[in-house]
Amino acid sequence: RQDVLVLTPWLAPIVWEGTFSREILNSQYLQRNLVTGLVTFAVEKYVQFVEGFMSSANKFFLAGHHVNFYLFTDSPEKIPHLQMAPENDLFVIPVQNHSRWQDVPRSHLDMLSWYIQRQFQHEVDYLFCLDANVQLLAHVGVEIIDALVATISSWQVTPQHQDNHEPPPATPGGQGDFHYTAGFYGGSVAEVYELTRACSEGMTKDRGNGDKAWWHLESHLNRYLLHHRPTRLLSPEYYWDTEL
């Protein structure tokens, strides 16, 4: 493709539809006998999105490959019965929701890093995090697999309209090449663990100093990725904001 940027300045690929052969990648992935995990948090009002999210992810996320779905929720009794594909497994993990919404992202990061260290690292090779209020509309395949993967925000590639929606700053002082969404990221289990710990520590430090990052987790994610460059970027096609 000549119409989009397909390589970063540090030579990491940017994945767009039409820039890869899913058939070749599928055969390579199957030979490696890998297992991928997909984490989502469905607490409070986000429980309502579980059925739509899971039915679409079960159909489109790494279809035909072994995926462990880890669903963190404070309402396990409200999770509907979901018929999973033969190669997929669903694990519902009960959690307590945090009383202060400002602390929810940090508590999610802490839970995720705890489970990575004690469980997930023994069960999966790669781990991705995706928001629960998302529905997959097309195949998301093994072209996303790499050591540290981030998704370019759809706000970055769209001309700004005359409204109140402003793209968040990527990093202090406008540093950085891309702005990444916190709605879809992942990589190897070890890399995701380091990312979650660093972002959690940054949010804890902010709270201790009385500071608050403008976009909470997303701000800390972008700061981390400025100093730990992603090895693969996903185009905004993978996490498009329907408001655009």
Side-chain angles (χ1 to χ4, degrees):
R1 288 183 58 170
Q2 302 297 319
D3 59 320
V4 292
L5 185 67
V6 296
L7 203 63
T8 69
W10 61 95
L11 305 183
I14 305 175
V15 182
W16 297 82
E17 189 67 36
T19 61
F20 58 89
S21 168
R22 185 166 285 130
E23 181 179 349
I24 293 174
L25 294 175
N26 277 336
S27 62
Q28 294 174 343
Y29 186 87
L30 286 170
Q31 291 174 10
R32 297 172 65 190
N33 195 30
L34 300 172
V35 180
T36 301
L38 182 63
V39 169
T40 193
F41 283 85
V43 298
E44 291 192 336
K45 65 180 181 179
Y46 289 94
V47 174
Q48 66 182 304
F49 300 113
V50 167
E51 188 166 9
F53 169 82
M54 282 303 309
S55 61
S56 66
N58 182 49
K59 179 179 180 181
F60 289 123
F61 188 80
L62 270 64
H65 303 287
H66 188 179
V67 179
N68 284 356
F69 291 90
Y70 299 111
L71 176 61
F72 289 80
T73 181
D74 60 346
S75 303
E77 72 283 355
K78 295 182 181 179
I79 303 302
H81 174 72
L82 301 165
Q83 185 64 44
M84 305 299 293
E87 64 274 11
N88 293 338
D89 292 297
L90 173 62
F91 301 91
V92 177
I93 304 174
V95 297
Q96 287 187 334
N97 191 24
H98 210 284
S99 57
R100 282 168 39 93
W101 69 266
Q102 298 95 328
D103 295 328
V104 167
R106 182 171 59 85
S107 66
H108 288 183
L109 291 172
D110 290 341
M111 281 186 273
L112 180 53
S113 60
W114 191 92
Y115 272 91
I116 288 174
Q117 191 174 42
R118 289 161 179 79
Q119 179 180 341
F120 298 166
Q121 67 168 326
H122 306 297
E123 298 177 346
V124 299
D125 302 285
Y126 292 91
L127 192 65
F128 286 84
C129 301
L130 186 58
D131 284 349
N133 60 337
V134 167
Q135 286 202 34
L136 279 66
L137 304 178
H139 287 286
V140 175
V142 297
E143 73 277 359
I144 70 171
I145 299 296
D146 216 318
L148 184 58
V149 183
T151 305
I152 300 172
S153 170
S154 52
W155 286 99
Q156 181 165 334
V157 297
T158 305
Q160 296 306 302
H161 304 288
Q162 297 300 315
D163 57 23
N164 294 324
H165 294 103
E166 291 292 334
T171 51
Q175 304 170 37
D177 304 285
F178 302 94
H179 182 82
Y180 308 109
T181 176
F184 189 19
Y185 62 91
S188 70
V189 176
E191 289 283 359
V192 175
Y193 177 77
E194 293 298 329
L195 183 153
T196 56
R197 292 307 305 151
C199 290
S200 177
E201 290 169 3
M203 298 175 87
T204 300
K205 184 178 180 180
D206 276 0
R207 184 175 179 182
N209 294 335
D211 298 327
K212 183 177 70 173
W214 185 6
W215 278 56
H216 301 287
L217 171 58
E218 193 153 299
S219 297
H220 287 278
L221 175 77
N222 277 273
R223 178 186 288 273
Y224 181 85
L225 294 173
L226 175 64
H227 301 290
H228 304 80
R229 297 292 197 188
T231 57
R232 180 173 301 253
L233 277 63
L234 304 182
S235 74
E237 297 168 317
Y238 284 85
Y239 194 87
W240 189 256
D241 189 334
T242 53
E243 291 187 22
L244 300 175

